């Protein structure tokens, strides 16, 4: 019986008596944010409290642990400022800190020796009040008068955050002006999300050490110094030939073609700046002042102020097309024409037209001129009224650039007959005014 009583007693010791509170094993104390950070503005202090708690969530009131705050989540690369290390008083550490960079989704961390770390709820930091202007994209050394990339000026708070909700107009002017230049382009721009973008600024003279001054609704700003270089006028020219089989690109030969620039002077004269070129379709003209000038190549002149030019063009016909001599004749025979019309309405001549076109050769004649077999001019230079056959000679001088049509090169020639009509428009007296129009009647 005695041994049975011992077993019962031992079981009571192991299992505990009914109704007696069971205590879990001791756990390490931990840190808890008892006063969480809330949304704020950059530079504005946050009131935060961190408590030392036991496993049951009770404040360990006799703890004076040294608690340190940091940034657990840092979406904008901010810095936590203020007193970030505090000794707990009666188990609670109280902080007054702030973040310098605006951003969404910040979080704080709390740590102390021997205690489990804690992480706060997330919070957002908005920009502070507008304070000053800043060149967020500075002007840089430029090859020519146009400032590139575009200059940007932002409205910022005292800690350097762009205030996206700030609005106003920002104006630019020259500060330091070593070259005596003039600033042009759009120099006053309204902000968008707190930023003004200046995309077409130009300075009229070269110089080293220019600065820009930005003014607006808050404190003004001055840019970093920059240089405007006098670069050569450069350009390219490629002739894109459109043929029946596709496009053929041929660089213009500037190596054998004079190229240069004429600049008008105050006395009415011109100063010529010679250039050089290559057979690859490029040229360069050094020393040309900023502003307008006359670009000359061959006997062509173009007035411009641009420093980099693309003079390329599209041209109909093969690049290897040959030119015929003025006075050379080509013979054409057409049959089955629509009866030719050539008549007079109240003193207004109305006549059909024949046109010739070869796309591969680029040859065009808008109204054929006809010659007799000896090469003499046939007068009148059109078929007679009612004719249905065309059998005449045409001088190559009437063909666009006297381009020779060559069947061996794949050239084809098309002829079109345009028939003239009296529109029948009557004046107040009921007489036709002779107003005419044309329609397509035949294609050969």
């Amino acid at each position: 019986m005695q041994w049975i009583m011992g077993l019962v007693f031992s079981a009571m010791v192991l299992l505990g008596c009914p109704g007696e509170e069971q205590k879990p094993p001791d756990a390490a104390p931990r840190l808890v944010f008892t006063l969480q950070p809330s949304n704020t503005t950059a530079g504005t202090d946050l009131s935060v409290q961190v408590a030392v708690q036991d496993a049951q969530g009770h404040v360990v009131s006799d703890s004076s642990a040294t608690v340190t705050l940091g940034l657990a989540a840092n979406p904008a690369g901010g810095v936590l400022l203020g007193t970030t290390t505090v000794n707990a008083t009666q188990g609670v550490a109280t902080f007054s800190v702030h973040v310098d960079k605006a951003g969404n989704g910040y979080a704080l961390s709390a740590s102390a020796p021997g205690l489990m770390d804690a992480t706060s709820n997330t919070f957002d930091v908005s920009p502070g009040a507008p304070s000053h202007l800043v060149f967020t994209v500075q002007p840089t050394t430029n090859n020519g008068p146009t400032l590139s990339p575009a200059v940007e000026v932002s409205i910022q708070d005292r800690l350097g955050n762009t205030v996206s909700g700030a609005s106003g107009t920002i104006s630019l002017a020259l500060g330091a002006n070593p070259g005596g230049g003039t600033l042009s382009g759009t120099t006053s721009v309204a902000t968008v999300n707190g930023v003004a973008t200046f995309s077409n600024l130009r300075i009229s003279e070269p110089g080293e050490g220019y600065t820009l001054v930005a003014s607006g609704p808050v404190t003004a700003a001055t840019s970093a110094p920059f240089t405007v270089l006098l670069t050569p006028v450069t350009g390219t020219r490629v002739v894109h030939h459109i043929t029946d089989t596709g496009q053929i690109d041929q660089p213009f030969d500037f190596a054998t073609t004079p190229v240069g620039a004429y600049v008008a002077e105050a006395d009415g004269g011109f100063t010529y700046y010679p250039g050089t070129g290559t057979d690859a379709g490029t040229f360069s003209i050094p020393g040309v002042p900023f502003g307008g000038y006359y670009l000359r190549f061959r006997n062509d002149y173009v007035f411009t102020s641009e420093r980099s030019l693309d003079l390329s063009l599209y041209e109909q016909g093969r690049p290897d097309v040959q030119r015929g001599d003025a006075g050379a004749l080509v013979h054409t025979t057409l049959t089955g024409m629509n009866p030719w019309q050539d008549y007079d309405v109240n003193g207004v001549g109305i006549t059909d037209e024949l046109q010739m076109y070869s796309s591969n050769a680029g040859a065009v004649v808008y109204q054929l001129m006809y010659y007799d077999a000896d090469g003499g001019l046939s007068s009148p230079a059109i078929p007679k009224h009612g004719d249905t056959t065309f059998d005449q000679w045409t001088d190559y001088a009437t063909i666009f650039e006297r381009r020779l049509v060559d069947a061996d090169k794949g050239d084809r020639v098309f002829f079109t007959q345009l028939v003239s009509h009296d529109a029948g428009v009557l004046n107040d007296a009921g007489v036709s005014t002779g107003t005419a129009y044309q329609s397509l009647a035949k294609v050969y």
Side-chain angles (χ1 to χ4, degrees):
M1 189 69 178
Q2 187 174 11
W3 64 270
I4 294 175
M5 293 291 291
L7 287 174
V8 173
F9 177 78
S10 298
M12 292 176 66
V13 171
L14 291 171
L15 300 174
C17 298
E20 182 179 345
E21 182 181 356
Q22 305 298 308
K23 295 183 179 180
D26 288 341
R30 60 183 180 178
L31 298 177
V32 176
F33 280 89
T34 53
L35 180 59
Q36 294 279 355
S38 58
N39 294 340
T40 186
T41 57
T44 300
D45 285 340
L46 294 164
S47 294
V48 177
Q49 288 187 342
V50 179
V52 181
Q53 294 184 354
D54 61 18
Q56 284 72 44
H58 303 131
V59 174
V60 181
S61 59
D62 61 351
S63 174
S64 59
T66 301
V67 182
T68 299
L69 291 185
L71 289 172
N74 190 356
V79 177
L80 186 64
L81 301 171
T83 303
T84 57
T85 299
V86 172
N87 292 325
T89 301
Q90 296 183 342
V92 178
T94 300
F95 298 87
S96 182
V97 293
H98 62 269
V99 179
D100 65 336
K101 297 296 182 185
N104 295 331
Y106 280 101
L108 299 178
S109 64
S111 61
L115 301 176
M116 295 177 62
D117 295 348
T119 300
S120 74
N121 297 338
T122 59
F123 61 98
D124 300 333
V125 177
S126 301
S131 169
H132 59 279
L133 300 178
V134 173
F135 281 85
T136 43
V137 176
Q138 294 275 358
T140 59
T141 295
N142 279 268
N143 295 322
T146 301
L147 302 190
S148 180
V151 174
E152 292 185 3
V153 180
S154 300
I155 299 176
Q156 295 189 346
D157 64 14
R158 65 183 179 86
L159 295 176
N161 297 292
T162 297
V163 184
S164 59
S167 61
T169 298
I170 297 176
S171 298
L172 293 183
L174 285 175
N177 189 357
T182 300
L183 180 67
S184 61
T186 304
T187 57
S188 292
V189 174
T191 59
V192 176
N193 296 325
V195 180
T197 301
F198 300 84
S199 58
N200 61 350
L201 298 176
R202 295 172 63 95
I203 295 180
S204 62
E205 300 294 337
E208 181 178 356
Y210 280 104
T211 61
L212 298 178
V213 176
S215 58
V218 290
T219 303
T222 299
S223 75
F226 61 97
T227 299
V228 177
L229 300 173
L230 181 63
T231 54
V233 171
T234 59
T236 60
R237 184 177 176 89
V238 176
V239 181
H240 306 287
H241 294 272
I242 307 302
T243 73
D244 289 352
T245 57
Q247 179 175 307
I248 301 173
D249 296 335
Q250 186 178 57
F252 187 83
D253 186 4
F254 282 107
T256 58
T257 303
V259 61
Y262 286 94
V263 177
E265 304 296 347
D267 61 2
F270 289 86
T271 299
Y272 181 68
Y273 296 85
T276 58
T278 71
D279 59 6
T282 63
F283 66 88
S284 177
I285 310 173
V288 181
F290 294 155
Y293 60 91
Y294 291 89
L295 174 70
R296 176 193 176 227
F297 61 99
R298 293 187 307 191
N299 292 320
D300 299 326
Y301 291 83
V302 176
F303 182 78
T304 181
S305 60
E306 296 299 321
R307 310 295 292 187
S308 180
L309 301 165
D310 184 354
L311 303 175
S312 299
L313 76 159
Y314 287 84
E315 187 172 285
Q316 187 70 51
R318 298 178 285 107
D320 59 346
V321 69
Q322 301 296 310
R323 267 62 173 178
D325 295 329
L329 301 177
V330 59
H331 184 254
T332 303
T333 300
L334 299 175
T335 59
M337 292 180 7
N338 203 69
W340 194 264
Q341 298 184 92
D342 180 14
Y343 53 89
D344 182 278
V345 177
N346 297 324
V348 178
I350 295 179
T351 183
D352 292 356
E353 286 190 13
L354 278 176
Q355 298 181 350
M356 185 196 87
Y357 181 65
S358 175
S359 59
N360 205 51
V364 180
V365 182
Y366 291 109
Q367 184 161 4
L368 293 174
M369 302 295 292
Y370 313 121
Y371 290 75
D372 60 27
D374 296 326
L377 179 63
S378 174
S379 181
I382 52 176
K384 295 181 177 61
H385 186 78
D387 285 352
T388 58
T389 299
F390 170 76
D391 186 8
Q392 296 288 356
W393 294 87
T394 301
D395 188 347
Y396 253 98
T398 65
I399 298 177
F400 176 69
E401 293 187 344
R402 302 197 303 274
R403 292 168 174 254
L404 291 175
V405 177
D406 188 344
D408 292 338
K409 297 289 186 179
D411 299 341
R412 295 183 299 167
V413 178
F414 295 89
F415 293 86
T416 59
Q417 180 183 1
L418 299 178
V419 176
S420 298
H421 305 273
D422 178 5
V425 178
L426 303 179
N427 59 19
D428 293 340
V431 179
S432 173
T433 60
T435 302
Y437 67 93
Q438 292 179 321
S439 63
L440 182 63
K442 291 281 187 177
V443 177
Y444 303 90

